[in-house]
Amino acid sequence: MRRPLTLKDHHHEQRIFSVRLMVGVILVLLLTLVLFSRMIWLQIIEHNRYTTLSDNNRIQTQAVAPPRGLITDRDGVILAENRPDFSLEVVVEQAGDLEGLLGKLRKLVTLDDDDLDQFEKRRHSARRPWEPVPLRGRLTEEEIARIVVNQYRLPGVRIVADPIRHYTHGILFSHVLGYVNRINAQDLDDMSLDQQRNYAGTHFYGRSGVERFYEDRLHGQVGYRQVETNARGRILRVLDEQPPVPGRDLRLTLSMKVQQAAYDALGDRRGAVVAIDPRDSSVLAFVSRPGFDPNLFVTGISHKDYSAYREDHDKPLFNRALQGRYPPGSTIKPFMGIAGLDAGVTNWQRTIFDPGYYQLEDNPHRYRDWKRWGHGRVDLHKAIVQSCDTYFYDLGFHLGIDRIHQYLSEFSLGQPTGIDLNNESTGILPSKKWKKAARGRPWFHGDTINASIGQGFVLVTPLQLATATAILASHGKQITPTLAAGEVHHTERHDLVLKDADNWQKMTDAMVDVTETLHGTAQNMRNDQYRVAAKSGTAQVFSVGQDETYNEKEIADRLLDHALLIAFAPADDPAIAVGVLVENGRHGGSTAGPVAHQVMDAWLLNDKGELDVPPPLAGAPGADNNGKETP
């Protein structure tokens, strides 16, 4: 039976279609509303926020390191300057595959293990992830060209031209100028917040010497600039800029001519020379030899070069002038003489008999004089001229260690001089209290005997010797050695005023006879241009037994006596005071004397060899702009 034919219900289908259409329209309207609302939210309500975020992606604020101040000598000769250096840097955040990038770079430029090790250290100590990390400096023109050609394959890599420190005379001023090198995390941790801001963008920091002491002055103030960059971080244009304030130039009191003379006079020998103008306390020469090349340290010294310095038996990194501690030997005798005179223990007429040794009562030990058969009848003048140990043994015994310590302290011996350098050694000027604390033992008369000729526990630096000599030359005026022209460094010490001021000149006369008389121990310093007051000295490196004889031919070179000498000139109006040390130089007069002579000639004589004493440095503080001892 056939089913009945039914027609479609168009009205029903139309209703379904209308409902679906309405739902669809509502959904579209709702979605449109959501999109429109979101657009309003993003474009209007959150406009400022996203504009700022966009600008932060497009606009960057970069710190601009200030140019470091130049360093010159007193005559304007440049000692430290800034030279452009092309270096390779990597922005790690933009590098992506860092290992792959470094592999590509090694094919383009020379990168040794030292470069990569330093890069890793700098990368991990970087303050911000988007800051560039130095990889290698001193790029050659060929290396620069290869990097530029392959720049599209090296994301995050850039070449920058930075001014780096250059020491124009290299090794000559190494120990006094010091050096700068890369700033590190520890340096920043030691700074205040304001200081850290001032070092944003700065790669270099004063590490030693004048560079370290005057870091704040030489560094300057950081600047900033806003730049627009593309997606690769490349700078498109500079939007705003606040230029940095350059570091201030530093003029030193050092004289290039005198410094060179001191360095050359030492030759290949280990030693130190310090020269001071007693009229204004300015340091004319500051040499420690051997030295080092400070330029190697600026961008990071290689392990090979650093190991060579560290393993060198001559210790080129050791600042002998500032930190070396040596027995002063007979150079201490003029200061001992002044102490004895002022304390009333001796006078210029008092004499003793020197049989070649000195003995304490009830003590069989003999303290030998350098002249085995003795000097006979000796007064203070003769004791200075001929360097008679026995006279000063007796003088020291009667003075006592307490008064010796008191008077020699007035000459800056055994304590910091106050020079504008860090890490100055104090030396040792012993006392009863010092020995008890340092050695846990009481003081003995024999200790005083040894100290009276600059042996035993007494240790001084070449800088202290030069300072003491300048105080002696200026008749007790307190001297604080100064390296920076125009700087004033105060100490707590006061001028040394003697009960009889004539003793200053009489001691000078005795020291002049050291260089001008037949029996003087520094006769080779005599010249026809100016009079020199001097005192030579030789300090033992090791002790000789009571019954042993010192034989230079049987002793290793590095166990030979140190040669020392102090001098000032012209004797009647001193313009230079010098302290010289030559390690293992054996004899002060014959070894250290010619060194001091060349240094004084460089300062006091003109190019024609005529006496032409330079005036004090204008602006400098104090300047007036109108057991066995061998001599």
Side-chain angles (χ1 to χ4, degrees):
M1 185 175 179
R2 299 177 59 183
R3 295 179 63 182
L5 181 64
T6 59
L7 298 176
K8 291 182 179 181
D9 190 345
H10 294 285
H11 293 288
H12 177 70
E13 292 181 355
Q14 187 175 3
R15 285 196 300 270
I16 293 174
F17 175 77
S18 298
V19 170
R20 291 176 177 174
L21 179 61
M22 185 175 296
V23 171
V25 170
I26 292 173
L27 289 174
V28 171
L29 290 175
L30 286 174
L31 291 174
T32 302
L33 181 61
V34 169
L35 292 175
F36 187 72
S37 300
R38 184 62 177 167
M39 186 174 64
I40 293 175
W41 174 265
L42 294 175
Q43 297 291 332
I44 298 177
I45 299 176
E46 290 290 300
H47 172 77
N48 291 335
R49 175 172 178 265
Y50 285 102
T51 298
T52 301
L53 291 175
S54 175
D55 287 340
N56 285 342
N57 290 329
R58 181 177 62 89
I59 300 174
Q60 295 182 14
T61 300
Q62 298 180 338
V64 182
R68 196 169 180 85
L70 304 181
I71 301 177
T72 69
D73 81 338
R74 61 169 51 218
D75 299 315
V77 177
I78 294 178
L79 308 180
E81 62 180 352
N82 305 310
R83 289 186 177 180
D85 173 66
F86 290 94
S87 59
L88 187 63
E89 295 182 343
V90 177
V91 180
V92 177
E93 191 179 51
Q94 301 173 359
D97 180 10
L98 184 59
E99 291 299 324
L101 179 65
L102 293 176
K104 295 177 183 177
L105 287 173
R106 296 193 76 163
K107 297 177 181 179
L108 300 175
V109 300
T110 302
L111 293 175
D112 56 28
D113 292 337
D114 285 342
D115 295 325
L116 296 176
D117 289 344
Q118 291 296 325
F119 175 75
E120 285 300 315
K121 292 178 182 178
R122 294 165 188 157
R123 181 167 72 90
H124 288 105
S125 63
R127 288 165 281 182
R128 301 176 184 88
W130 59 85
E131 284 190 354
V133 180
L135 176 57
R136 215 208 82 182
R138 304 182 188 277
L139 295 175
T140 66
E141 293 183 1
E142 183 178 346
E143 288 174 327
I144 293 172
R146 284 199 293 263
I147 293 173
V148 171
V149 170
N150 292 275
Q151 185 75 58
Y152 70 97
R153 299 192 303 117
L154 306 171
V157 173
R158 67 180 193 174
I159 296 174
V160 294
D162 284 328
I164 66 166
R165 206 58 157 173
H166 179 74
Y167 300 97
T168 54
H169 299 282
I171 197 171
L172 181 59
F173 290 89
S174 56
H175 282 291
V176 62
L177 291 184
Y179 59 90
V180 302
N181 65 8
R182 299 282 183 182
I183 194 168
N184 56 45
Q186 184 61 51
D187 297 325
L188 295 171
D189 290 341
D190 293 338
M191 295 179 183
S192 66
L193 186 59
D194 287 340
Q195 287 177 315
Q196 289 180 7
R197 293 194 187 101
N198 193 37
Y199 278 84
T202 299
H203 294 311
F204 299 102
Y205 187 70
R207 195 62 61 190
S208 67
V210 167
E211 291 275 26
R212 179 68 187 92
F213 193 90
Y214 288 103
E215 170 65 22
D216 291 344
R217 173 173 178 166
L218 292 166
H219 176 259
Q221 297 292 320
V222 69
Y224 294 93
R225 63 178 179 178
Q226 285 188 324
V227 297
E228 183 179 4
T229 61
N230 61 14
R232 292 179 175 269
R234 186 185 298 275
I235 296 175
L236 301 177
R237 58 178 175 143
V238 177
L239 302 177
D240 189 24
E241 186 171 11
Q242 178 183 334
V245 178
R248 288 186 292 163
D249 294 344
L250 184 64
R251 181 189 180 198
L252 300 183
T253 62
L254 295 170
S255 166
M256 176 70 190
K257 184 179 179 181
V258 181
Q259 182 84 0
Q260 187 72 62
Y263 186 84
D264 292 342
L266 282 174
D268 294 330
R269 296 167 295 192
R270 302 178 306 279
V273 178
V274 179
I276 299 173
D277 187 337
R279 298 171 297 176
D280 56 19
S281 302
S282 62
V283 179
L284 304 174
F286 191 99
V287 173
S288 176
R289 187 158 187 176
F292 59 92
D293 184 357
N295 292 306
L296 294 177
F297 289 83
V298 175
T299 56
I301 188 170
S302 68
H303 287 302
K304 179 182 178 181
D305 289 336
Y306 189 64
S307 295
Y309 280 139
R310 288 292 301 272
E311 296 169 5
D312 191 329
H313 293 303
D314 290 338
K315 298 181 179 179
L317 298 178
F318 180 54
N319 191 337
R320 289 168 166 81
L322 186 72
Q323 298 171 318
R325 304 194 303 177
Y326 305 89
S330 289
T331 60
I332 205 174
K333 291 175 180 176
F335 313 111
M336 287 289 298
I338 290 293
L341 291 166
D342 199 59
V345 172
T346 192
N347 55 52
W348 293 101
Q349 291 74 41
R350 175 178 175 269
T351 64
I352 67 164
F353 181 77
D354 171 25
Y357 60 87
Y358 182 79
Q359 276 183 285
L360 296 171
E361 292 184 10
D362 302 324
N363 190 332
H365 183 82
R366 290 183 173 183
Y367 297 92
R368 295 181 296 182
D369 191 280
W370 70 269
K371 192 174 184 180
R372 297 183 65 84
W373 53 90
H375 292 84
R377 183 62 58 180
V378 183
D379 60 13
L380 179 56
H381 186 97
K382 182 178 178 180
I384 291 291
V385 174
Q386 298 188 23
S387 197
C388 176
D389 295 336
T390 304
Y391 187 95
F392 288 94
Y393 289 145
D394 182 73
L395 176 60
F397 176 75
H398 287 92
L399 264 174
I401 192 59
D402 290 335
R403 285 191 290 192
I404 291 175
H405 185 276
Q406 173 191 345
Y407 276 99
L408 267 58
S409 294
E410 298 290 336
F411 288 98
S412 293
L413 296 175
Q415 58 186 305
T417 63
I419 192 172
D420 36 349
L421 289 174
N422 295 320
N423 303 317
E424 179 186 1
S425 174
T426 59
I428 297 176
L429 185 58
S431 63
K432 295 177 182 178
K433 181 179 179 181
W434 171 86
K435 187 179 179 185
K436 190 67 176 176
R439 303 299 174 93
R441 303 186 64 189
W443 188 266
F444 301 110
H445 288 311
D447 297 329
T448 304
I449 300 301
N450 287 330
S452 65
I453 61 165
Q455 297 283 176
F457 299 119
V458 183
L459 295 174
V460 301
T461 67
L463 172 61
Q464 289 173 351
L465 274 182
T467 304
T469 306
I471 294 173
L472 182 63
S474 60
H475 291 186
K477 185 184 76 172
Q478 201 49 249
I479 299 292
T480 301
T482 305
L483 284 164
E487 296 291 329
V488 179
H489 301 280
H490 298 287
T491 63
E492 297 179 357
R493 299 186 301 273
H494 303 286
D495 292 351
L496 176 56
V497 179
L498 301 184
K499 297 181 179 68
D500 184 356
D502 290 342
N503 285 327
W504 291 117
Q505 186 57 49
K506 291 178 180 179
M507 183 58 70
T508 297
D509 293 340
M511 293 176 68
V512 168
D513 283 349
V514 170
T515 67
E516 294 189 350
T517 60
L518 180 62
H519 297 289
T521 57
Q523 301 172 47
N524 54 1
M525 296 193 67
R526 181 176 181 175
N527 66 81
D528 297 330
Q529 299 294 334
Y530 53 88
R531 300 172 72 218
V532 179
K535 183 69 195 78
S536 61
T538 306
Q540 288 179 238
V541 176
F542 72 100
S543 299
V544 178
Q546 180 74 45
D547 299 320
E548 295 177 354
T549 301
Y550 179 84
N551 189 337
E552 292 178 354
K553 297 180 180 179
E554 298 178 357
I555 297 175
D557 288 344
R558 291 180 185 269
L559 293 179
L560 292 172
D561 293 341
H562 297 320
L564 303 101
L565 185 130
I566 60 173
F568 58 87
D572 52 347
D573 188 14
I576 184 172
V578 183
V580 178
L581 161 81
V582 180
E583 288 186 4
N584 312 119
R586 300 187 297 177
H587 303 293
S590 59
T591 304
V595 175
H597 195 292
Q598 291 182 51
V599 172
M600 291 189 291
D601 280 353
W603 179 243
L604 299 176
L605 304 182
N606 58 27
D607 295 338
K608 298 179 180 179
E610 302 168 339
L611 182 64
D612 186 11
V613 180
L617 187 64
D624 181 4
N625 294 319
N626 277 320
K628 179 189 74 67
E629 173 61 19
T630 305

